[in-house]
Amino acid sequence: MKKLGSLLIVLAMLLSMASLAVAEEPITISIMHYMGNQVKLDAFDEILNKYMETHPNVTFESQMYSQNDYIAQLPIRIANGDTPDIMMGQPTQYSDIIEAGKVMDLTGHELITALNLNEGDLKNCSYNGNVYALPLDFKTYGVIYNKAIFEKYGLTPPTTQDEFDALCQTLVDNGVDPFIRNYSNVTYPDIEVRGILWPLLIENGHGDAFEKLMNGEAKFTDYPEFAKAFELWARRLAFSRVDDMGNDTTMGRQLMAQGAGAMMYEGTWAYAQIQEFNPDQEYGMFVLPRDDGKDNSWCVQLDQIFMISNESKHPEAVMEFMAYLLSPEVAGYWAATTLNPSVVPGVETEMPDVIMTAIKGKESGNIAHEGSLTTWLKGEYLTAWRQLTQTFAADRTLTVDAILEELQSVFDEINATK
């Protein structure tokens, strides 16, 4: 019996050592994302480093791409059998890899349940009724304005397009550029059109417009909302600067921080970088006004949103990290550092006026949520849309009818090859 007892003790020791060996097995978690500004990158790196301090067996392979490069590179990596463990992106834009079984179904997962997401946010995490992504925060966009310039000329945020035009003219008359633009980045012409387009489509029950355009079931001219969005944008484009098409996001934000212009069409994701360039400057934010007598809605999307590979070699380790990222403490650090409004319950951090305006806009319910669309543009369609909206911004001889005709022609060509 004594010998058996000794054997049991040795076996227990061996099992303990084996368990320790498993726990300390080196694990590399690959992450692919498009967090494009330095404030976000630094904050995310800090989170990864802190995690590795308490999990010495874990290392991260984190790669950042521009959003356009990301859209192109992710399918290539997956086709080559190199699916990242964690992939940034809204599921309906990546339906092909979901249908190919590359993304983990998170429906009913405790991390999703704990977030207690509203309907729009939950749909933004889903595809065909199933949840495929975990969100960290949300974003909205609108006109960020320099409070000192507005106060100097007695200006207040406009509520109609006519008021907006008059405001811009007042600035011009006083030698002030109304807008700073960063249109060398193709994302920005796109989101400026969305500011009017999405609210109108959703309000009019056309949340499936992009799906039908990509399926060839409808044409741009079937939706007058497109013409209206381009028309109002053209009125804003009449107030231009020579560097509109040359500024990238960092250059534009630096100019805004320097007071080189009164307004900038931007998103909550950019505010921390703008403020970093000039902490003493104060800003406000307002939603783009319409010309039909109605209040416009805030466009809302989940921002940092992550899909998990269904082929990960270390799914438990990946989900353990995601639980860490979505804990109130870590999510609170992220929100306070990046000034991105959190969707994680229990996060309480002081935010500047611009971000509080966005939070209150979302809480008001007067929103046009991406989750209300059956899908947003993706793949070749998104690339074409962004290229042509950028062209419209650059070429002021283009009419609204002409840009819609060109968009239809390109979409027809894509559909013809399917």
Side-chain angles (χ1 to χ4, degrees), residues 63-375:
Q63 292 180 294
M64 190 278 289
Y65 295 81
S66 71
Q67 191 176 30
N68 282 339
D69 287 342
Y70 181 91
I71 291 169
Q73 290 299 318
L74 181 60
I76 294 173
R77 279 191 60 169
I78 292 174
N80 290 335
D82 185 25
T83 304
D85 294 299
I86 300 171
M87 301 161 277
M88 194 169 169
Q90 197 267 342
T92 61
Q93 289 188 269
Y94 300 93
S95 57
D96 51 345
I97 65 172
I98 291 174
E99 291 173 353
K102 304 296 184 180
V103 181
M104 186 183 296
D105 188 340
L106 300 170
T107 307
H109 193 281
E110 60 184 356
L111 287 181
I112 280 290
T113 303
L115 290 174
N116 194 28
L117 299 173
N118 65 31
E119 182 181 4
D121 288 343
L122 192 61
K123 286 182 177 179
N124 220 177
C125 294
S126 304
Y127 172 69
N128 273 357
N130 290 344
V131 180
Y132 289 99
L134 292 162
L136 179 58
D137 53 33
F138 77 89
K139 60 186 176 184
T140 186
Y141 27 94
V143 182
I144 294 177
Y145 67 94
N146 183 310
K147 285 189 174 182
I149 293 176
F150 269 47
E151 289 171 6
K152 182 176 181 179
Y153 299 108
L155 304 174
T156 56
T159 58
T160 68
Q161 183 62 50
D162 286 342
E163 289 178 2
F164 204 2
D165 292 343
L167 181 153
C168 292
Q169 191 60 53
T170 296
L171 290 168
V172 170
D173 292 344
N174 284 279
V176 179
D177 285 320
F179 297 103
I180 300 294
R181 296 183 170 106
N182 44 17
Y183 284 171
S184 74
N185 183 319
V186 295
T187 305
Y188 281 83
D190 168 12
I191 65 169
E192 191 155 346
V193 178
R194 291 186 216 171
I196 295 293
L197 178 60
W198 282 14
L200 291 179
L201 286 172
I202 292 170
E203 178 182 307
N204 294 330
H206 295 151
D208 60 355
F210 302 108
E211 179 180 1
K212 288 185 174 180
L213 288 167
M214 290 188 288
N215 289 340
E217 298 175 35
K219 297 186 178 297
F220 284 93
T221 51
D222 293 333
Y223 303 105
E225 297 88 351
F226 282 92
K228 178 57 66 176
F230 277 100
E231 174 196 329
L232 296 187
W233 184 28
R235 287 172 67 170
R236 298 190 299 276
L237 287 170
F239 300 94
S240 61
R241 279 171 54 108
V242 295
D243 57 1
D244 282 352
M245 303 308 301
N247 293 326
D248 62 22
T249 52
T250 300
M251 294 162 63
R253 292 165 191 170
Q254 286 175 328
L255 288 167
M256 186 65 186
Q258 293 165 8
M263 296 176 288
M264 186 176 203
Y265 193 81
E266 258 289 9
T268 48
W269 62 86
Y271 187 72
Q273 189 175 39
I274 296 172
Q275 190 176 62
E276 186 179 53
F277 288 136
N278 186 356
D280 297 327
Q281 191 66 263
E282 293 187 4
Y283 306 93
M285 189 178 192
F286 59 87
V287 69
L288 284 175
R290 288 160 54 164
D291 68 343
D292 58 2
K294 296 182 181 179
D295 291 335
N296 199 17
S297 304
W298 291 93
C299 290
V300 172
Q301 300 168 265
L302 294 176
D303 198 357
Q304 271 59 230
I305 175 171
F306 303 96
M307 300 178 291
I308 311 301
S309 169
N310 208 27
E311 300 176 337
S312 175
K313 296 177 182 178
H314 312 287
E316 292 182 2
V318 172
M319 295 309 292
E320 184 178 351
F321 168 70
M322 291 306 300
Y324 172 81
L325 180 64
L326 296 175
S327 65
E329 296 76 18
V330 176
Y333 163 77
W334 173 264
T337 306
T338 66
L339 303 183
N340 278 35
S342 184
V343 297
V344 177
V347 170
E348 294 183 5
T349 185
E350 189 174 339
M351 289 290 194
D353 287 350
V354 167
I355 306 303
M356 287 308 303
T357 298
I359 292 172
K360 290 176 182 177
K362 185 171 188 274
E363 291 175 347
S364 75
N366 184 24
I367 60 174
H369 204 302
E370 185 182 17
S372 298
L373 304 171
T374 58
T375 186

